């Protein structure tokens, strides 16, 4: 069993450092902020990112917890082999066994909106990108421009033929978050439900579900992100899309 102070190889350290720099740039956070969230000294973070010191397992785990992403890649021999055809463009059966060419219309950047969990009547908005990942031979999604960057999500996209819905699945060490949305309408929007955990005081977590809408970025010329309240130019548009989720209905919330 590896010990907490085991050092990563030079190649592993290089890959981890590259991934961390990408996350810092994508989230627009400072190295100081990341160091504080990972409970590391800025000096230590600078040295490992600059290649002057190898990453240890303990340091890497702290950074993974702070960023909410996996920084270590599985060795090729231990990585699960995806079920694909020879051309590598068929998703695993567990995700719907869809062909890449059959889901290109889902790929793109979306403005994602749902009710704010922290402010009544406000809307929470961020960016979600859905794209084909050749490494796993399936669609994957990754969020960005979240006000609460610590909770940024990424994961797999399932597109089964049977239900006619699309599933964006996050699985972190067995803890799941699920978004179920309709196939895109002719104008590209997708509507449905997000099922996740609401973070409360301390370590308190409460299951919560809410309507959610994915709006193609091209349809929102000047998107507002973060917590969007009345008075914002996009507030009424966002609220209208959330109402459509229930009114049409793309999703049903049953009374208790």
């Amino acid at each position: 069993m590896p010990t907490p102070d085991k050092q990563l190889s030079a190649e592993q350290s290089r890959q981890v450092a590259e991934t961390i720099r990408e996350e810092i740039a994508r989230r627009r956070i400072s190295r100081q902020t990341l160091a504080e969230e990972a409970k590391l000294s800025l000096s230590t973070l600078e040295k490992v990112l600059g290649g002057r010191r190898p990453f240890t397992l303990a340091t890497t785990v702290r950074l993974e917890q702070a960023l909410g992403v996996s920084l270590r890649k599985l060795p090729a021999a231990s990585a699960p082999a995806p079920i694909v055809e020879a051309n590598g463009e068929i998703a695993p059966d567990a995700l719907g066994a869809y062909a890449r060419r059959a889901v290109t219309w889902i790929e793109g950047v979306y403005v994602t909106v749902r009710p704010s969990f922290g402010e009544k009547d406000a809307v929470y908005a961020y960016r979600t990108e859905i794209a084909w990942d050749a490494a796993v031979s399936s669609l994957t999604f990754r969020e960005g421009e979240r006000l609460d960057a610590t909770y940024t999500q990424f994961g797999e996209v399932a597109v089964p033929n049977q239900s006619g819905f699309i599933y964006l699945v996050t699985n972190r060490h067995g803890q799941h978050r699920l978004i179920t949305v309709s196939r895109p309408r002719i104008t590209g929007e997708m509507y449905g439900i997000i099922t996740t955990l609401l973070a409360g005081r301390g370590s308190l977590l409460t299951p919560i579900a809410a309507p959610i809408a994915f709006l193609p970025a091209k349809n929102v010329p000047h998107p507002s992100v973060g917590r969007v309240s009345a008075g914002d130019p996009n507030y009424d548009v966002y609220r209208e899309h959330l109402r459509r989720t229930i009114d049409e209905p793309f999703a049903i919330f049953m009374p208790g």
Side-chain angles (χ1 to χ4, degrees), residues 20-36:
I20 292 173
R21 286 193 291 269
E22 290 177 356
E23 290 294 324
I24 288 174
R26 184 175 62 81
R27 303 182 188 200
R28 300 177 185 176
I29 61 174
S30 67
R31 293 187 177 187
Q32 177 68 56
T33 297
L34 176 57
E36 291 174 355

Side-chain angles (χ1 to χ4, degrees), residues 8 12 15-16 19-20 23 55 59-61 63-64 67 69-73:
L8 275 60
Q12 287 175 319
Q15 291 177 350
V16 169
T19 302
I20 292 173
E23 290 294 324
F55 281 86
T59 297
T60 306
V61 169
L63 288 164
E64 286 178 331
L67 291 169
V69 301
S70 176
L71 300 173
R72 293 163 290 169
K73 295 182 179 179

Side-chain angles (χ1 to χ4, degrees), residues 5 24 33 40 49 57 85 102 179 184 187 215 225 242 256:
D5 59 350
I24 288 174
T33 297
L40 297 171
L49 290 182
L57 183 57
E85 288 189 348
I179 295 176
T187 48
L215 318 177
V225 295
L242 290 179

Side-chain angles (χ1 to χ4, degrees), residues 102-248:
V103 294
T104 54
W105 49 293
I106 300 174
E107 295 185 76
V109 177
Y110 296 84
V111 178
T112 307
V113 297
R114 61 160 172 79
S116 169
F117 296 157
E119 181 180 327
K120 185 179 180 182
D121 296 328
V123 175
Y124 190 74
Y126 52 91
R127 178 180 57 81
T128 301
E129 181 177 3
I130 299 176
W132 184 267
D133 187 337
V136 295
S137 190
S138 72
L139 289 176
T140 60
F141 74 93
R142 180 175 291 273
E143 299 173 352
E145 298 184 48
R146 285 187 59 141
L147 187 63
D148 52 350
T150 303
Y151 297 101
T152 295
Q153 305 283 318
F154 64 93
E156 300 172 317
V157 180
V159 190
N161 288 322
Q162 291 89 340
S163 70
F165 280 82
I166 297 167
Y167 304 85
L168 284 71
V169 185
T170 299
N171 180 359
R172 302 279 181 79
H173 309 294
Q175 181 171 300
H176 286 66
R177 188 199 70 172
L178 176 65
I179 295 176
T180 305
V181 291
S182 63
R183 304 275 176 127
R185 304 184 67 184
I186 191 169
T187 48
E189 296 87 1
M190 300 186 291
Y191 301 95
I193 293 176
I194 177 174
T195 305
T196 185
L197 295 174
L198 174 63
R201 293 183 177 180
S203 60
L204 179 65
L205 296 172
T206 305
I208 189 170
I212 193 167
F214 287 75
L215 318 177
K218 63 183 180 181
N219 295 353
V220 189
H222 304 287
S224 305
V225 295
R227 189 171 289 112
V228 181
S229 302
D232 184 281
N234 288 306
Y235 178 76
D236 290 338
V237 174
Y238 289 173
R239 292 291 300 181
E240 176 59 30
H241 281 291
L242 290 179
R243 279 193 293 269
R244 185 174 299 169
T245 300
I246 299 173
D247 291 348
E248 294 217 5

Side-chain angles (χ1 to χ4, degrees), residues 72-93:
R72 293 163 290 169
K73 295 182 179 179
L74 289 172
S78 61
I83 304 172
V84 297
E85 288 189 348
N87 61 10
E89 295 196 344
I90 301 296
D93 184 66

